[in-house]
Amino acid sequence: MQLEYVSTICPYCGCGCGINLVVKDGRIVGVEPWKEHPVNEGKNCIKGKNAYDFLYADGRLKRPLVKENGSLKEASWGKALTLISEKLRNVEPNSVGFINSGRCTNEDLYVLQKFARVVMKTNNIDNASRFCHSTTVPALVSTVGSGVMSTSEISVEEADCIFIAGVNIKETYPLISRRVQRARDNGAKVILADPRATVTARTLADTHLSLNPGTDVALVNAMMKIILDEGLEDRDFIEKRTKGFEELKNHLSSFNLNDAEKVTGVPAEETEEAAVAYAKAKKGCILYNAGVAQHSAGIENIVALADLALITGNYGRPGTGVNPLRGHINGEGFGDMGPVPVFYPGFRAANKESAKLFEGYWGVEGLPSLAGMTYMDMVEKCSILYVMGANPMVSAPDTNRVKTMLGEKAFLVVQDIFMTETAELADVVLPAATWVEKGGTTTGVDRRVQRINKVVEPPREAKPDWEILCKLAQIMGFEEKFSFGSPGEIFEEIRVCVPQYSGITYDKLKEAGGIQWPCPSEDHPGTDTMFVEKFGTSDGLGHLQPADYKSPAEVPDEEFPYIFTNGRVMFHYHSGTMTRKTERLTNEVPTALVEINSDDAKEKGIKNGERITLESRRGQIAAIARPTDNIGKGTIFMPWHFSESGANVLTGPSAGPPSKMPEFKLCAVKMRKG
Ligand code: SF4
């Protein structure tokens, strides 16, 4: 039998790299480079090079499971869907919630939100972006009018100063890190703000600002104060393209750089060096992620970054802007499609006007017009929860509490590819097809809409998410509204409802590299750089806003003296559902290693490889210690991919409006040997 090569997109991070899957006898047997793909030019990180093993791992869900007498038993699709439909028919709109994930395609997410709104008449729908970039959207919408990456990942290499904040880019976005390296090879200066001396700090950054966790606003305000004091702001840009400068200037006038040094722990001369380099750059580019966004003060952090870019004129040209790096393959699409409580598709606010608009699009009445519940509110308050492709038992904060709340649900449905920790608690588990078993589109970090091709058949009775939802909607009497026969048909409806996608045709997406939205007409090539002439705000101006430092929701004290923070490693992805079932990746990093400062380790008598226990106010976990000088005294870091040492057992749910972002990146813990 001949080998067949089918090109598609890597299923992991939002970089959206192309891969060629090697197929033999209907089974994927390897990954080959896709050299013509403009994003990655044939290069892939280790996850991309092994992006198929997990498809054939033990534990793939292949038939529906229904709980009987306390245990899950195989059942027919008819029985499983009928049971779900009966439960859903008898629940109030505000008592049901839908949780989804950026692992799903645009088509899956579009159909899910349509199901929630049309069939269940609820806006109770949210996704894991609540835990990543729910701070990004209000911060960037209020300053520049849109929460998206404004340059393209390819154009990053045009920058001559790159300020990376709160992201270990070499491990978590390796192919964007490659662009940063290229820029640096061409003379760009790379500044990193990160509490840890990560591989990015050691090998990519020219300047590493090792700030105390959670003090980003103070650092960025200090940079702006220096820029204004030294007259390095871009007066022309401020005058023509922004408003609110005087207010910001007044706010910063009383800002004390000595206080900033004490709060951030960054020596004043290092802050000044970074501020001057960024302000003097012709094209300054800011890249940030969870280390900035995943805080209860995430909005203030990001507003400050936007202010910094605006006062230096670093917007509207390739290689500039304030650019959120989104973690999932469909990291941008799972905002665009509207599977969130505050937006209908195309970022239309969940209000009466949008409800009317979509009643017209969909030919229905009575769509919900008030914002729905956010992720954790649904986990806490809804009696019926439908979870598609997400694993709150690992990715939501305060795992013990989440387990209790999920266990108390009147009815829990989980639709996934494996028996996850959340699926184990479900009343019905539905087997889903993976990305290569269904086709569709995804939209990556830089608004790049790409087509993923169906490569192989799903195992046994597993089905695409969108198809499962359509069948359920049909059983519930909505045949005509959910009569989609293919991802292409769904994409046609998306084009109508999401203006940013209106010029993108499913056929045009066959080309390598896809199309970046906004794409207003079929002859439009897509948009590399946003805000070239005006911002997305109502008046087209960038809105400068003062942002104040506030201390994190939980700080160390005598009982819990260490700051605990967490993140990702190169070899694993999110809750590990796929990477931990990939032999090569698991061999590299089989378990959670906890980084603790070498002096802290000595004080506690803890040696490399020894077992330790970490305890917060919410729970305790056991893991393996890795003393290192790459982390500051008093700080502890661990990756969060490993449910058996679940970082989120420790983290707290504290989250305020409007983002409802938990304080993921910071909580207080104590540590002991053994
Ligand atoms: Fe896949 Fe991201 Fe690695 Fe590219 S950088 S190969 S998209 S995991």
Side-chain angles (χ1 to χ4, degrees):
M1 182 84 184
Q2 272 200 327
L3 295 179
E4 196 189 340
Y5 296 82
V6 186
S7 51
T8 191
I9 305 304
C10 171
Y12 291 117
C13 83
C15 288
C17 300
I19 52 177
N20 273 317
L21 290 172
V22 188
V23 186
K24 187 180 178 202
D25 297 335
R27 189 179 166 99
I28 300 172
V29 295
V31 176
E32 290 287 329
W34 183 359
K35 294 202 172 95
E36 297 77 28
H37 197 282
V39 167
N40 56 312
E41 298 167 325
K43 308 274 188 271
N44 292 110
C45 77
I46 189 158
K47 288 197 291 292
K49 285 177 185 162
N50 292 278
Y52 67 98
D53 248 22
F54 68 87
L55 294 170
Y56 307 110
D58 290 343
R60 251 325 276 280
L61 293 167
K62 297 172 184 170
R63 287 204 79 196
L65 304 170
V66 172
K67 191 169 271 177
E68 281 174 19
N69 303 321
S71 55
L72 287 162
K73 304 233 164 60
E74 285 198 356
S76 67
W77 273 105
K79 179 175 175 177
L81 293 181
T82 303
L83 178 61
I84 297 169
S85 69
E86 283 165 3
K87 297 287 181 185
L88 291 180
R89 271 199 189 101
N90 292 313
V91 69
E92 290 297 313
N94 212 30
S95 296
V96 61
F98 295 84
I99 289 176
N100 56 86
S101 146
R103 272 201 281 138
C104 305
T105 62
N106 285 326
E107 291 69 24
D108 297 331
L109 295 169
Y110 179 82
V111 173
L112 182 71
Q113 64 78 35
K114 186 174 175 182
F115 184 93
R117 290 171 170 132
V118 170
V119 180
M120 300 309 301
K121 304 284 187 286
T122 186
N123 280 325
N124 288 348
I125 179 165
D126 204 1
N127 57 46
S129 69
R130 178 70 41 205
F131 304 146
C132 322
H133 285 287
S134 61
T135 48
T136 287
V137 176
L140 291 184
V141 166
S142 67
T143 47
V144 296
S146 174
V148 299
M149 189 162 171
S150 63
T151 190
S152 77
E153 54 184 296
I154 296 169
S155 298
V156 167
E157 69 183 66
E158 292 188 32
D160 57 348
C161 181
I162 301 172
F163 179 24
I164 304 170
V167 52
N168 180 9
I169 197 168
K170 279 201 89 160
E171 289 205 52
T172 53
Y173 300 91
L175 268 294
I176 297 182
S177 141
R178 180 171 165 263
R179 300 284 173 183
V180 176
Q181 182 63 56
R182 276 198 188 168
R184 191 174 181 229
D185 292 344
N186 292 331
K189 186 170 174 71
V190 179
I191 301 160
L192 173 72
D194 195 316
R196 291 195 302 140
T198 59
V199 63
T200 304
R202 299 194 302 274
T203 63
L204 188 65
D206 297 296
T207 301
H208 174 208
L209 308 174
S210 179
L211 76 173
N212 293 325
T215 62
D216 306 75
V217 175
L219 176 72
V220 179
N221 277 343
M223 290 172 74
M224 285 195 282
K225 166 82 174 159
I226 292 162
I227 288 166
L228 296 182
D229 284 352
E230 299 193 15
L232 296 173
E233 71 273 22
D234 185 334
R235 282 269 158 193
D236 190 48
F237 189 92
I238 291 169
E239 225 164 82
K240 290 185 179 140
R241 300 210 48 193
T242 72
K243 70 177 192 187
F245 178 65
E246 287 308 317
E247 199 188 340
L248 177 68
K249 197 172 152 193
N250 287 341
H251 178 255
L252 291 172
S253 63
S254 57
F255 190 83
N256 186 317
L257 291 172
N258 291 331
D259 289 349
E261 181 172 338
K262 275 186 216 138
V263 170
T264 62
V266 179
E269 57 276 16
E270 287 184 20
T271 306
E272 176 166 12
E273 189 193 324
V276 171
Y278 177 76
K280 285 189 171 173
K282 287 192 179 71
K283 287 183 176 181
C285 182
I286 296 175
L287 304 171
Y288 76 88
N289 195 20
V292 165
Q294 275 188 335
H295 285 284
S296 56
I299 292 179
E300 287 82 356
N301 292 343
I302 299 158
V303 164
L305 288 174
D307 288 341
L308 176 65
L310 287 168
I311 64 165
T312 51
N314 279 310
Y315 255 117
R317 288 164 295 133
T320 64
V322 176
N323 300 288
L325 301 179
R326 294 170 188 276
H328 289 280
I329 175 178
N330 201 17
E332 180 54 51
F334 76 167
D336 304 345
M337 296 302 117
V340 286
V342 291
F343 291 124
Y344 272 81
F347 300 102
R348 270 113 161 195
N351 56 26
K352 278 188 185 156
E353 203 184 342
S354 301
K356 260 263 130 337
L357 182 72
F358 279 86
E359 283 170 4
Y361 282 143
W362 294 334
V364 295
E365 287 183 349
L367 291 182
S369 57
L370 295 175
M373 285 188 223
T374 54
Y375 196 123
M376 289 307 291
D377 283 347
M378 287 191 289
V379 170
E380 187 181 339
K381 294 172 187 160
C382 288
S383 60
I384 295 184
L385 207 55
Y386 196 118
V387 180
M388 183 173 97
N391 191 5
M393 276 294 294
V394 180
S395 53
D398 200 351
T399 308
N400 290 336
R401 187 164 164 262
V402 169
K403 186 172 185 182
T404 303
M405 292 188 292
L406 291 178
E408 288 168 353
K409 293 286 158 234
F411 196 65
L412 175 64
V413 181
V414 173
Q415 190 167 304
D416 213 312
I417 58 175
F418 284 105
M419 183 55 107
T420 62
E421 292 79 1
T422 306
E424 281 167 11
L425 303 173
D427 296 287
V428 176
V429 179
L430 301 175
T434 66
W435 91 121
V436 282
E437 295 158 356
K438 59 185 172 187
T441 65
T442 58
T443 310
V445 65
D446 60 353
R447 301 164 278 108
R448 189 179 301 276
V449 187
Q450 299 196 79
R451 186 139 155 204
I452 53 173
N453 292 310
K454 179 171 175 178
V455 183
V456 288
E457 290 300 323
R460 282 182 68 188
E461 296 182 26
K463 294 185 192 305
D465 289 301
W466 63 265
E467 198 177 311
I468 297 169
L469 293 162
C470 286
K471 281 194 190 309
L472 185 58
Q474 287 161 11
I475 290 173
M476 294 182 74
F478 290 82
E479 292 88 346
E480 191 206 332
K481 308 297 172 202
F482 290 85
S483 60
F484 303 114
S486 69
E489 281 182 29
I490 302 167
F491 192 82
E492 277 307 306
E493 190 169 305
I494 291 171
R495 287 181 62 200
V496 175
C497 299
V498 180
Q500 296 88 338
Y501 286 59
S502 61
I504 305 174
T505 66
Y506 203 59
D507 247 18
K508 259 168 80 180
L509 290 177
K510 278 185 189 150
E511 285 167 32
I515 296 172
Q516 286 177 275
W517 70 252
C519 179
S521 59
E522 287 189 23
D523 57 357
H524 192 283
T527 305
D528 175 281
T529 307
M530 303 271 289
F531 316 136
V532 174
E533 282 165 7
K534 57 180 187 164
F535 289 100
T537 49
S538 53
D539 56 11
L541 297 173
H543 295 188
L544 292 159
Q545 294 165 48
D548 275 320
Y549 168 71
K550 60 182 186 195
S551 61
E554 192 174 87
V555 290
D557 56 18
E558 258 182 41
E559 192 185 357
F560 297 96
Y562 299 96
I563 293 176
F564 174 81
T565 185
N566 58 77
R568 294 195 274 143
V569 295
M570 162 93 83
F571 300 96
H572 288 289
Y573 172 78
H574 291 251
S575 67
T577 303
M578 301 188 291
T579 50
R580 294 198 72 196
K581 293 189 167 62
T582 301
E583 199 180 343
R584 174 89 195 277
L585 301 176
T586 305
N587 286 346
E588 291 283 352
V589 181
T591 187
L593 296 177
V594 180
E595 292 184 12
I596 54 177
N597 175 271
S598 304
D599 291 336
D600 288 337
K602 260 187 221 142
E603 278 170 21
K604 289 275 177 186
I606 296 167
K607 296 201 182 70
N608 191 26
E610 283 187 337
R611 206 169 171 76
I612 57 168
T613 299
L614 299 177
E615 185 178 346
S616 76
R617 288 183 173 82
R618 291 152 292 277
Q620 63 174 42
I621 56 170
I624 305 296
R626 185 174 162 269
T628 171
D629 292 330
N630 292 337
I631 194 162
K633 193 157 165 41
T635 304
I636 293 172
F637 169 89
M638 76 179 287
W640 62 271
H641 314 287
F642 304 90
S643 60
E644 67 279 17
S645 307
N648 284 324
V649 171
L650 305 175
T651 56
S654 164
S659 70
K660 297 273 181 107
M661 171 66 83
E663 190 74 90
F664 263 123
K665 284 288 179 252
L666 237 172
C667 71
V669 298
K670 54 185 163 187
M671 163 173 69
R672 65 175 182 271
K673 189 172 165 174

